Amino acid sequence: MAESIIKATNLNLVFETAEDTIEALKDVSLDIFKGDFVSLIGPSGCGKTTLLRAIAALETPNNGDLTVNGMTPEEARKKRAYGYVFQAAGLYPWRNIAKNISLPLEIMGYNRSDISNRVRKVLELVELSGFENKFPWQLSGGMQQRASIARALSFDADILLMDEPFGAL
């Protein structure tokens, strides 16, 4: 039997605010296997983004079990087991598009030649060749989002988490 790459069991996440308690996730259980393509569909505010953020170790569930590639979400984050595309492009305005895409590669210690090749490859993939020296503010919202997708694809992660990545496209 195949092992889950993402496994959630009875996951709960509650946000406490000054006014009230928000139950963002309640008893969420799921198994996602290698090669699966999964879309989370539901109304605004139902917990889709919160679940992705928990998988990416950006939120901490109050209880339940969650593993990513057999590790805790925090361990998976440290091992760069996934790429993440946020709803908003999240590009640094002082870095050109190539430098925004290369950022995770630089952090991971890739050499310059490999970074250059990977950036070129993903720019071609998202049809942004020729825009590598432009700054985010010089591109449309859709082009910025494609650059964000390219950044997530640049290091060949086993898992790609995408939060409404095509809204601006």
Side-chain angles (χ1 to χ4, degrees):
M1 185 171 170
E3 187 175 322
S4 301
I5 59 166
I6 297 174
K7 183 175 185 67
T9 308
N10 300 321
L11 208 60
N12 293 284
L13 200 151
V14 175
F15 294 108
E16 299 287 342
T17 69
E19 297 83 35
D20 55 8
T21 299
I22 300 168
E23 195 171 48
L25 301 176
K26 182 179 179 182
D27 296 326
V28 173
S29 294
L30 62 88
D31 282 303
I32 300 174
F33 299 93
K34 186 174 178 77
D36 283 355
F37 183 95
V38 176
S39 294
L40 302 175
I41 300 170
S44 178
C46 75
K48 301 178 301 287
T49 295
T50 302
L51 178 58
L52 284 177
R53 290 179 59 83
I55 293 167
L58 298 172
E59 298 289 350
T60 303
N62 299 91
N63 55 39
D65 294 312
L66 180 60
T67 59
V68 180
N69 275 350
M71 302 171 266
T72 68
E74 180 73 15
E75 290 168 330
R77 182 185 59 76
K78 289 177 181 174
K79 291 188 183 248
R80 293 168 176 81
Y82 57 83
Y84 195 107
V85 180
F86 295 90
Q87 286 182 21
L91 302 172
Y92 292 111
W94 60 87
R95 290 179 73 109
N96 66 30
I97 298 306
K99 288 290 187 185
N100 266 286
I101 293 169
S102 70
L103 183 59
L105 302 170
E106 293 168 15
I107 292 168
M108 291 178 195
Y110 283 79
N111 67 52
R112 258 186 222 177
S113 175
D114 200 15
I115 289 172
S116 178
N117 289 333
R118 286 172 176 271
V119 168
R120 182 187 44 74
K121 181 177 131 186
V122 294
L123 281 169
E124 288 173 9
L125 183 66
V126 299
E127 298 182 358
L128 284 177
S129 295
F131 292 93
E132 49 276 335
N133 294 317
K134 300 290 185 193
F135 289 87
W137 54 270
Q138 295 176 301
L139 303 181
S140 71
M143 294 170 85
Q144 290 177 30
Q145 192 64 3
R146 284 189 279 153
S148 179
I149 292 167
R151 181 177 53 203
L153 294 171
S154 68
F155 55 95
D156 300 321
D158 289 337
I159 300 168
L160 187 59
L161 303 171
M162 303 174 85
D163 190 0
E164 297 187 35
F166 308 120
L169 302 181

